[in-house]
Amino acid sequence: MTLKYFLLIRNNQDFFYSAYGTTFARPHKWLCFYNTMKNIRNFCIIAHIDHGKSTLADRLLEYTKTITERQMMNQVLDDMDLEREKGITIKSHAIQINYPYKGVEYTLNLIDTPGHVDFSYEVSRALAACEGALLLVDASQGIQAQTISNLYLAIGNDLEIIPVINKIDMEGAMIPEVKDQILELIGCKEDEILLASGKSGIGIEEILAAIIERIPAPKGNMSEPLQALIFDSVFNSFRGIIIYYRIFNGSIKKGDKVQFFNTGQEYFADEVGILKIGMEAKSEVKTGDVGYIITGIKNAKEVKVGDTLTLANNPCKTGINGFEEVKPMVFAGIFPVVTDDFEELRDCMEKLQLNDASLTFELETSQALGFGFRCGFLGLLHMEIIQERLEREFNQSVITTVPNVSFIAHTTKKEIIQVNNPSEMPDPSRIDRIEEPYIRAQIITKPDYIGNIMTLCIGKRGMLHHQSYLTPTRVELIFEMPLTEIVFDFYDKLKSQTRGYASFDYTPIGNRDSDIVKMEILLNGENVDALSALIHRSRAQDFGRRLCEKLKELLPRQQFMIAIQAAIGAKVIARETISAMRKDVTAKCYGGDISRKRKLLEKQKEGKKRMRQIGNVEVPQEAFLAVLKLDD
């Protein structure tokens, strides 16, 4: 049996530690460090939003001296200002930690994951790159919807779960109750649950020990062809796309010709290395390691998260399971406030797509707003982030139209048309049926709010599928409902109806037949295409009435009367009228015959009629934003 030795440094003197536990001084200076996969641990942290994931990651890096005091800041792995402000992780990150434990140096690869439902595919790929996960639960809030959703993803990837109760030093900490919830959820032993505080650093040493002892070392074969999972990519303006991967088999060296398994693209590895607080170049990255590769790629569409990286001259036979094309779920139009800024907006969108490959966009023209883009987003949070990044990072003022989901129209000629935009909806006489996407919504709340949630979800065309008590003070409700109903204001209403004591998560479950119609908004008989919406027939009249009322408040009065109408085809379902501003044309008449005043009023009336025929009604930006904030 071959002995494997590990280099130790004690009091500036080098020692060797054998596989049988014998320690002895190094006899020769030329002997070198021999590392094996047994000393590597790949893990991630899964948690609901705001349960302290980024703060715990900070403490792990600080405790292991991976970063210096000078580099230390709150949420060190969150690069964007938006991530720090919203307290969420938008982009996945990875960092390598070196930690000596019981005389052996271990390499711990922390792969941080996004924490929101919109990024669930990126989370699944990051989990697939790990062997274990810290299940983080807030001691004051307990288990919530995203915790369970990510836990199921982790179990699906066969990860070792280490439950950790965070924020135990808070006044409202409910440690015994949260322990019971975890025991009920994953069926572990009570002594396996760790107690910690990311803010004050309690329990960090115990967490590191559990990572080394409980999470298995990576498995793989160095002699097999390269097989690496791409779990993230970032854009560098000087070096192009930087790809993050985890190697399952084989190794990758600088200068190798690599191939993307699913797209077939081939590139040369200009640089490979590992991920510390920055990038550290290496001549070779081996099985079990997490690293990066720079190939000079400039087009984000060529790199797909979940793809398999292999060698062009000796490719692997099969790719790593789980690869999917990322499909946008929500669509909206983005237009420049000033039409002349269109070309500048196009450049900004292309730069933004380099950093976020899940953003899709295509050219769109609107009669009301001019040239712009029809954009596809992973969800509402993703849409909000893109809009804010355009304004902050690129100083672009944009108008975002009503968001909608993707419908499938079946025509009488057996054609199948994907409708991402109200303008793409075929003529009603040609439509046989329309399908809309449905989701399975999971809501966890206190029993006091079951009635409010039932009313909200059933009002949104939801159907209760399942109800169960996780604990006496925590109930789980499963609804099946249309995705289009949660696009507008569902999450805000859920929070207000439950005073913030509800968590929400959803998964797509396919398309179902539905009575969807195209509702148009007319101003003086002219269609404002940017305010058109695809909506269920049963909700169209109510929605149209509320929208007309809101537009009446927001549109400025003119010298002529403005008619605001909501219509489905030729049928007007709601109407509001903005009366004309009256100029007192008779003010200069100080008396005299009444016929003189009548003549002036008739002349004014004719002028207003002519103005109405040729006058334009300017729709302010607030009108488009108001659609998102209509109150019931």
Side-chain angles (χ1 to χ4, degrees), residues 521-540:
I521 297 295
L522 309 173
L523 296 180
N524 282 344
E526 292 291 324
N527 177 21
V528 183
D529 55 353
L531 287 173
S532 299
L534 299 171
I535 193 166
H536 194 267
R537 192 182 296 274
S538 64
R539 291 175 57 83

Side-chain angles (χ1 to χ4, degrees), residues 112 149 232 250 273 394 435 465 470 490 515 523 616:
D112 196 14
S149 174
D232 196 17
F394 301 101
E435 294 179 358
H465 185 265
L470 301 173
F490 178 80
D515 188 8
L523 296 180
N616 290 323

Side-chain angles (χ1 to χ4, degrees), residues 36-77:
T36 70
M37 283 196 297
K38 289 182 180 177
N39 295 354
I40 298 174
R41 300 289 184 271
N42 297 321
F43 73 101
C44 60
I45 306 172
I46 53 177
H48 190 80
I49 296 168
D50 202 31
H51 277 210
K53 182 159 62 75
S54 295
T55 310
L56 182 71
D58 289 351
R59 295 293 81 75
L60 290 171
L61 299 178
E62 193 176 43
Y63 185 84
T64 56
K65 294 183 171 55
T66 303
I67 54 175
T68 63
E69 287 184 22
R70 186 179 176 184
Q71 294 169 318
M72 191 62 217
M73 66 175 91
N74 288 335
Q75 294 170 252
V76 71
L77 293 181

